[in-house]
Amino acid sequence: MSKKNIKNVISKIFNIFLMVGIVFPMVYFLYRFVIEYLEKSMIITSFSSSVFSAWMSVSGLFLKLLIISVFFLLIKILTVLPILFRRVSRYHRGTDVKEISLLSGIDDLKNLDVEKFIELYKENMYSAEKTAALLPVVLYAAATSNPDAEKILGFITGSDLTKSEDVDEIAHIKCQIDGKPYIALSYYTCTTPENEYRLLDNPITRIKDTGNFYNEDDEKTLYIACSGSGSYRPIRLKPLTPRMVKKSANEYIKDLSVDDTIWLFDEFSSTLVNVKTK
């Protein structure tokens, strides 16, 4: 069981404990009120005394419930505060950008095969930002008719290459970028339309994290800087737990040895759009 799954189980157990701590006293004191307090008030002959007794009983009941409920609600609030602070922190770091360098130069792109790509992926697979920085590597392989392009695309997207729909999707991606390596190179900061997207040594990609999750601990959207458009383009990533890795239909993925959640590409169609040329 992954760390995230363990945290989710502990959180659910704790929430049940809090709910029981609030609901059980409410039911118990309500029972005492109905059975005991009302019976006592009924035997008082004076109407005003009966009303006063009932009022005191109700006041005492709700005071006890309020004290107990406030106690457990405070505990719940204290557990929620770290999550709230993370959300606020994630919101305010929307303009923060990470600069990531995974390659030494153009030769790393030209000499890439699926085995080398998987080794590069293994070095970065636990980080969503570093996984996103692999985008130009993948696109360059697809654009230059790399003989392993289908395998690389199939691996990074977690596709089942025995299914015709997955094969067709990969073929569609290749068709969009085939013969346009400059699109892939535009995702490195050292390239521009003016220098014809010439790649320099130690190329850097800029990845921006706005904290945009489709679901909590689920798919995540990051943004990669594109020198050919002067803007950032979105990449949606999907997480794979160790259990999901073992059950993967992709032969390369299921052979990975992982001990935590890794990231793969889910949707990146906007990064295939053409860029300015000189």
Side-chain angles (χ1 to χ4, degrees):
M1 183 179 292
S2 68
K3 294 179 181 178
K4 289 184 178 179
N5 288 336
I6 293 174
K7 289 181 181 178
N8 288 336
V9 171
I10 294 174
S11 177
K12 288 178 181 178
I13 293 174
F14 190 68
N15 286 334
I16 292 173
F17 168 74
L18 290 176
M19 288 301 297
V20 171
I22 294 173
V23 173
F24 179 77
M26 292 178 65
V27 174
Y28 172 73
F29 285 114
L30 184 61
Y31 168 80
R32 287 189 57 185
F33 171 74
V34 173
I35 302 300
E36 298 179 15
Y37 292 130
L38 285 182
E39 286 183 355
K40 290 179 180 179
S41 65
M42 290 295 291
I43 63 174
I44 301 176
T45 56
S46 171
F47 176 75
S48 58
S49 297
S50 177
V51 172
F52 178 76
S53 177
W55 169 254
M56 292 301 293
S57 300
V58 172
S59 300
L61 167 68
F62 282 103
L63 180 60
K64 292 175 182 177
L65 290 178
L66 180 62
I67 293 172
I68 293 173
S69 298
V70 167
F71 173 73
F72 281 98
L73 286 174
L74 283 174
I75 295 176
K76 182 60 178 176
I77 290 172
L78 289 175
T79 62
V80 171
L81 281 177
I83 299 175
L84 178 62
F85 287 140
R86 284 200 301 269
R87 295 280 178 86
V88 172
S89 175
R90 186 183 297 164
Y91 173 80
H92 284 292
R93 73 181 189 192
T95 56
D96 288 350
V97 176
K98 287 186 178 180
E99 294 191 341
I100 301 172
S101 178
L102 304 179
L103 304 176
S104 60
I106 189 67
D107 289 339
D108 289 347
L109 289 174
K110 290 181 177 179
N111 300 323
L112 189 73
D113 56 29
V114 66
E115 284 78 17
K116 290 180 181 178
F117 178 78
I118 292 175
E119 287 303 314
L120 182 62
Y121 173 77
K122 286 179 179 178
E123 297 172 5
N124 304 283
M125 61 186 178
Y126 295 116
S127 167
E129 289 83 359
K130 289 183 178 180
T131 300
L134 288 170
L135 175 78
V137 180
V138 175
L139 296 188
Y140 189 87
T144 56
S145 299
N146 185 308
D148 283 351
E150 290 87 355
K151 293 179 181 178
I152 292 172
L153 278 165
F155 173 83
I156 198 63
T157 58
S159 301
D160 183 354
L161 297 181
T162 63
K163 291 184 177 180
S164 59
E165 56 266 31
D166 285 3
V167 173
D168 290 343
E169 181 62 26
I170 289 174
H172 178 65
I173 293 171
K174 286 190 63 183
C175 182
Q176 287 181 272
I177 199 171
D178 186 40
K180 302 175 182 177
Y182 58 88
I183 294 180
L185 296 175
S186 71
Y187 296 108
Y188 290 112
T189 59
C190 60
T191 66
T192 64
E194 289 71 27
N195 73 2
E196 298 180 343
Y197 298 106
R198 184 168 60 90
L199 193 65
L200 305 178
D201 293 339
N202 300 316
I204 292 173
T205 55
R206 289 196 180 107
I207 305 295
K208 180 166 64 175
D209 182 3
T210 63
N212 185 4
F213 281 80
Y214 278 72
N215 298 295
E216 184 66 25
D217 296 327
D218 203 353
E219 293 182 342
K220 182 176 185 178
T221 298
L222 297 173
Y223 298 84
I224 185 169
C226 177
S227 63
S229 65
S231 62
Y232 284 82
R233 292 178 171 179
I235 309 171
R236 195 167 73 209
L237 303 175
K238 56 186 176 183
L240 261 67
T241 64
R243 186 175 182 181
M244 294 167 68
V245 169
K246 290 180 181 179
K247 293 184 176 181
S248 175
N250 187 295
E251 61 177 319
Y252 293 108
I253 292 176
K254 68 181 180 182
D255 289 337
L256 293 176
S257 177
V258 302
D259 54 14
D260 202 351
T261 297
I262 63 174
W263 296 90
L264 295 175
F265 290 178
D266 186 40
E267 210 284 326
F268 54 99
S269 58
S270 65
T271 65
L272 305 176
V273 176
N274 211 349
V275 296
K276 292 185 292 185
T277 55
K278 188 174 179 181

